[in-house]
Amino acid sequence: MFQLPILADDGLCTPEVGDWAEQKYRLVRVYADLFAASMKGKWRRVFVDLYAAAGRSLLRNRRVIVPSSAMLALTIPQPFDRYVFCDLDGERLSALQKRVEREAPGLDVRFVQGDVNVDVDRVLAEIPKAPDVLTLCFADPYRLRNLHFDTIRRICARERRVDLMALIPSGFDANRNFQLYLDDGSDALDNFLGTSEWKTAWEERRQTAVVSATTFVAEYFARQMGELGYLQPGHMPMIHSSEKNLRLYHLALFSRHPLGGKFWKEAQKYTDPNRSLFE
């Protein structure tokens, strides 16, 4: 099983996260590795991280520092041809830039500071618009309100070849605040799913089956991706908190090509401590 390296403190901004983030980071790293290595020489490969943060995280319970998604993608054996890192927090993005300059000085890396929902055009401007470009985009919003589906529609437009790895805050946020969203107290879920019609779908679903809000939100997001021409994802791992084993979020891979689903299965096998990638 792939294990994250433990890093020494370099004095730069290092956000603290729950230990559950470790599983997410492992999946991102292994999928990015499979994607980049398999497509090298066939496509110009671009990695986009919409919530790139600082490139390192402090795991809250273990009190150790590990690389997070951006630095993990940068340090794979066959790097992407270009990286685009976006984050709203200027201090975190500055720390990431310094780490990139120190650890990956020869790579083509672009930085976009801003709210991806407002500044999506700036992100898209850094992705070459050409028929030979293949993009892996990682969307890791902390809460539903941080990501709008209209942003995903722009990035994953049919004229672009994009695989999307998305964190869906289906347990931590959607389930805990579901009644608020039903009562029109917030438009966060409307924006995240790209429509208010989910409310009708929820009522219809409840008439025929017992379903949790956690499952419903993940499945509806996948349905919306289907409208963009994406294949339905295979297994969407549910990430649990390490402290109380609470359901936090689904992590899903969306691709328009069956090869994406094959890579996703392999990534999950290689990050499962009880299985081998080659079994």
Side-chain angles (χ1 to χ4, degrees):
M1 182 184 73
F2 173 74
Q3 297 284 4
L4 297 177
I6 305 300
L7 306 173
D9 188 354
D10 63 359
L12 298 174
C13 175
T14 303
E16 184 174 302
V17 300
D19 287 24
W20 44 263
E22 191 170 1
Q23 183 178 355
K24 169 184 66 179
Y25 295 153
R26 289 199 302 262
L27 282 166
V28 171
R29 198 281 187 182
V30 173
Y31 189 85
D33 190 6
L34 290 167
F35 182 102
S38 298
M39 300 302 152
K40 184 177 181 180
K42 305 171 186 176
W43 303 88
R44 280 195 287 166
R45 303 149 303 145
V46 179
F47 181 86
V48 178
D49 194 333
L50 300 181
Y51 304 88
R56 291 186 176 193
S57 295
L58 172 65
L59 300 182
R60 184 176 300 123
N61 288 350
R62 293 177 57 198
R63 309 309 298 176
V64 296
I65 296 173
V66 298
S68 56
S69 56
M71 292 307 300
L72 286 167
L74 279 165
T75 54
I76 58 177
Q78 303 291 336
F80 285 77
D81 299 294
R82 175 174 292 181
Y83 294 84
V84 182
F85 296 137
C86 178
D87 203 89
L88 179 60
D89 189 306
E91 181 184 8
R92 294 183 178 187
L93 200 63
S94 176
L96 174 59
Q97 187 167 2
K98 291 175 183 176
R99 286 169 174 143
V100 170
E101 291 170 352
R102 183 183 67 212
E103 300 178 33
L107 297 181
D108 181 358
V109 184
R110 312 297 174 93
F111 298 90
V112 177
Q113 183 185 346
D115 180 341
V116 66
N117 301 300
V118 176
D119 299 303
V120 62
D121 284 337
R122 293 172 57 205
V123 174
L124 291 173
E126 300 295 351
I127 305 173
K129 195 172 183 180
D132 65 338
V133 172
L134 186 62
T135 300
L136 173 58
C137 179
F138 179 46
D140 181 19
Y142 181 63
R143 295 182 184 273
L144 293 167
R145 67 171 179 263
N146 298 133
L147 179 63
H148 297 176
F149 199 81
D150 283 346
T151 301
I152 297 300
R153 285 193 182 101
R154 295 285 309 282
I155 293 171
C156 297
R158 289 179 183 267
E159 65 268 20
R160 298 179 181 274
R161 291 181 170 87
V162 180
D163 274 12
L164 174 71
M165 188 182 300
L167 180 147
I168 304 171
S170 48
F172 172 71
D173 189 350
N175 189 58
R176 290 202 319 179
N177 299 306
F178 201 68
Q179 193 58 50
L180 173 65
Y181 302 138
L182 280 172
D183 293 341
D184 297 321
S186 169
D187 60 0
L189 192 49
D190 294 3
N191 289 333
F192 183 78
L193 295 176
T195 178
S196 62
E197 294 180 3
W198 65 267
K199 296 177 182 178
T200 301
W202 167 253
E203 293 302 327
E204 292 174 350
R205 182 76 179 276
R206 292 180 65 197
Q207 302 302 316
T208 60
V210 177
V211 61
S212 69
T214 300
T215 300
F216 173 80
V217 169
E219 291 180 349
Y220 201 93
F221 187 92
R223 168 181 159 181
Q224 291 291 82
M225 291 301 295
E227 294 295 317
L228 300 181
Y230 283 83
L231 303 175
Q232 287 301 298
H235 178 53
M236 292 189 287
M238 169 59 71
I239 309 300
H240 294 74
S241 67
S242 54
E243 294 89 354
K244 299 180 180 179
N245 200 35
L246 299 175
R247 298 198 297 173
L248 297 177
Y249 58 83
H250 286 85
L251 190 60
L253 188 283
F254 298 95
S255 180
R256 293 188 176 105
H257 195 284
L259 193 57
K262 178 182 177 183
F263 289 164
W264 187 233
K265 284 183 179 180
E266 292 180 347
Q268 291 176 70
K269 288 169 65 176
Y270 197 42
T271 54
D272 184 338
N274 300 312
R275 302 181 69 177
S276 165
L277 177 63
F278 303 105
E279 65 182 17

